[in-house]
Amino acid sequence: QAKQQGKGCFVFHHQITDQHVKDTLIIEQELAEAIKADQFECYLQPIVNLDTQAVVGFETLIRWAHPSKGVVSPADFIEIAEKSGQIIDIDRFMLVKACELLASWLPSMQPLPYLNINLSSNSIAAEDFLNFFTATLKKHRIPPGALNIEITERALINHLGKANFILHEVKKTGQRVILDDFGTGYSSLSYLHQLPIDVVKIDRSFVSTLEQSETSQSITTAIISLANSLNMEVVVEGIEDTVQRDIVLALGARYGQGFLFHKPMDIPSAVKLLARYTTKST
Ligand code: C2E
Ligand code: MG
Ligand code: MG
Ligand code: MG
């Protein structure tokens, strides 16, 4: 009887797995199409000075304009693309987009807002990442500090030795390295200072619990003071209301990002928004 039950469970389990495998395969096939058919779009979410609300830069966030499903969010395909290796092309697409955009802003926008791209661990570990990165920046004459890379703690851990080397090389190009989703990974504070990190982004999970949780406040305070003492900048992500903004301001944060200020937007909307914070020279 136990054997029968076991068998039943096995079949049931298999049905779920089969469906999941099918869905994943379909997305993989569709992603291959998407890359060819130019279905990806670059959205931008402003990063602001918490005091003045001035836009200092943007994070680029990918959106997939799926032919039948509408806009698909990265949560639904990035992991699949990471497993299949397609993320390498996807991240390159975003790098090129960001550089093209900066190049179009360069002649007229003062000050030039920076763009942060997100890179998965496979992307920075890819054989010719550094060549591609430096060549693309050079081609578009991207100035130092204008095109920064965001990498999560988790991605760093995946390829620690290699990542460390590559990030040092990225820094030689004058661009900045941002540790994304900080506090959620498995990193020990002891190696933080060995990595060439310029900015830490405090994860949304701390921000959303700031009001209820003293622990979240303590952790946020600790991260800010650690970052300060290591000469790193802090960006607080996922600020949704003024209470959260006021708490992080009081804790000493200077930059933030979140729905309170702006949601991710398409490029024309970002350009319109920038008109408020930049002067156009002629
Ligand atoms: P992330 O890099 O941590 O990006 C921040 C995410 O938080 C974005 O989700 C953004 O829309 C969302 N967010 C920002 N402010 C708020 C807020 O106030 N409240 C809430 N609830 N959410 C907020 P999104 O665009 O869905 O991206 C999810 C993740 O997908 C990103 O997390 C990043 O890890 C990944 N991703 C996005 N674009 C790319 C890409 O081009 N390449 C790679 N490798 N990963 C990407
Ligand atoms: Mg990010
Ligand atoms: Mg993040
Ligand atoms: Mg996040």
Side-chain angles (χ1 to χ4, degrees):
Q1 220 222 338
K3 200 178 166 188
Q4 233 173 20
Q5 241 178 33
K7 207 173 169 189
C9 286
F10 181 73
V11 170
F12 181 60
H13 175 73
H14 244 246
Q15 280 168 350
I16 293 176
T17 309
D18 280 353
Q19 191 52 49
H20 181 72
V21 168
K22 256 187 225 158
D23 290 347
T24 303
L25 278 175
I26 289 172
I27 293 180
E28 259 182 48
Q29 274 162 14
E30 290 178 337
L31 279 173
E33 296 280 313
I35 293 168
K36 281 184 255 157
D38 205 18
Q39 291 166 5
F40 291 118
E41 268 180 66
C42 175
Y43 267 56
L44 300 172
Q45 187 180 29
I47 296 164
V48 304
N49 178 313
L50 289 171
D51 260 327
T52 63
Q53 307 224 11
V55 174
V56 292
F58 297 88
E59 176 174 10
T60 67
L61 294 161
I62 197 165
R63 296 291 179 266
W64 179 7
H66 189 280
S68 62
K69 292 186 208 153
V71 178
V72 181
S73 96
D76 297 325
F77 67 89
I78 289 291
E79 218 183 295
I80 294 170
E82 284 175 345
K83 288 199 177 118
S84 67
Q86 290 162 312
I87 194 69
I88 294 172
D89 285 339
I90 291 174
D91 282 349
R92 282 181 187 206
F93 167 84
M94 292 294 276
L95 169 65
V96 170
K97 268 277 167 220
C99 287
E100 287 171 354
L101 193 54
L102 284 168
S104 76
W105 288 350
L106 208 46
S108 62
M109 269 198 217
Q110 290 270 339
L112 183 71
Y114 60 77
L115 296 181
N116 295 347
I117 59 166
N118 289 286
L119 292 177
S120 293
S121 59
N122 329 26
S123 298
I124 62 159
E127 205 50 65
D128 55 344
F129 168 77
L130 271 177
N131 281 336
F132 188 80
F133 184 81
T134 48
T136 308
L137 264 67
K138 201 170 169 194
K139 177 178 171 196
H140 295 283
R141 299 166 191 270
I142 305 302
L147 191 281
N148 309 302
I149 68 173
E150 293 195 6
I151 179 146
T152 63
E153 284 181 274
R154 213 134 53 97
L156 271 183
I157 309 276
N158 283 345
H159 299 275
L160 193 53
K162 187 155 193 185
N164 198 8
F165 169 77
I166 297 204
L167 296 181
H168 275 100
E169 294 298 310
V170 165
K171 284 209 53 165
K172 287 185 193 161
T173 69
Q175 310 307 331
R176 305 207 297 167
V177 175
I178 299 155
L179 193 53
D180 201 358
D181 299 351
F182 188 72
T184 62
Y186 316 95
S187 61
S188 80
L189 300 178
S190 64
Y191 79 66
L192 192 59
H193 76 281
Q194 299 170 20
L195 292 165
I197 310 284
D198 302 288
V199 183
V200 293
K201 267 199 172 179
I202 299 182
D203 192 66
R204 183 152 54 95
S205 58
F206 298 113
V207 181
S208 61
T209 52
L210 271 179
E211 288 157 70
Q212 313 88 277
S213 159
E214 273 184 42
T215 311
S216 286
Q217 290 207 22
S218 306
I219 291 172
T220 306
T221 309
I223 295 174
I224 292 172
S225 84
L226 176 77
N228 283 339
S229 64
L230 293 175
N231 267 324
M232 295 172 187
E233 194 173 285
V234 174
V235 176
V236 181
E237 70 179 7
I239 300 175
E240 293 186 347
D241 59 49
T242 52
V243 177
Q244 292 167 351
R245 181 201 58 199
D246 293 344
I247 295 174
V248 298
L249 260 173
L251 296 180
R254 285 191 62 202
Y255 299 100
Q257 182 181 351
F259 294 172
L260 170 66
F261 309 107
H262 305 279
K263 292 196 165 165
M265 58 185 80
D266 61 17
I267 290 171
S269 307
V271 170
K272 235 180 266 172
L273 177 69
L274 276 177
R276 279 199 247 156
Y277 302 103
T278 53
T279 52
K280 286 210 162 188
S281 55
T282 43

